[in-house]
Amino acid sequence: MKKITKEYVKGVQGNNELTVISPPNVPECVAKWFEENKRDLEYSIWEYIYDFGENGENSNDFFSFMNNTDNKPIRTLILMQYGYYIAKEVE
C-alpha cells in the first residue's frame, strides 16, 4: 500500500476535521493503468472517457472496471492518489 501523504493529513487537520479514508482495493490492471497515468491523472481520465468507444473496441479488464458503475471508477482513481491496495487475484 502507498502511504497517505503528510500534506493531505495536514489539510484535513487544518480544517478541524478528521476523515478516515479507506484506501481502495483495486485489481492489478487498475493499479497498472493508474501508475502509468498518475502524473497527469485528470487529463488521463478525461482522455480515456473521451475515447471510451474506441477503448471498448479493444476491451480489456481496465475497460470492464471503468464500464461498471458499481466500481465508482472515477472516484476510485482519484482516491488512489492517497494510497491503495492491490487485490490479490484468485487463480
Side-chain angles (χ1 to χ4, degrees):
M1 181 188 120
K2 292 186 173 186
K3 295 180 181 177
I4 293 176
T5 62
K6 291 179 184 178
E7 293 79 18
Y8 176 77
V9 174
K10 285 180 186 175
V12 170
Q13 290 172 342
N15 291 318
N16 293 326
E17 51 183 84
L18 184 57
T19 305
V20 177
I21 296 178
S22 183
N25 197 4
V26 298
E28 190 172 336
C29 64
V30 176
K32 181 179 178 195
W33 187 92
F34 176 80
E35 289 299 324
E36 291 171 356
N37 294 282
K38 69 182 178 184
R39 184 172 210 161
D40 197 4
L41 187 60
E42 280 186 47
Y43 178 77
S44 296
I45 293 170
W46 174 85
E47 184 177 43
Y48 192 87
I49 292 170
Y50 183 80
D51 295 331
F52 203 69
E54 188 177 305
N55 290 322
E57 292 173 8
N58 305 319
S59 186
N60 59 23
D61 290 339
F62 183 74
F63 178 82
S64 297
F65 171 81
M66 289 295 286
N67 198 35
N68 184 343
T69 57
D70 292 339
N71 293 330
K72 298 180 182 175
I74 295 172
R75 181 177 189 267
T76 300
L77 289 169
I78 298 301
L79 283 175
M80 287 174 70
Q81 297 176 92
Y82 306 109
Y84 60 90
Y85 294 106
I86 299 175
K88 193 167 193 169
E89 296 181 21
V90 178
E91 293 180 12

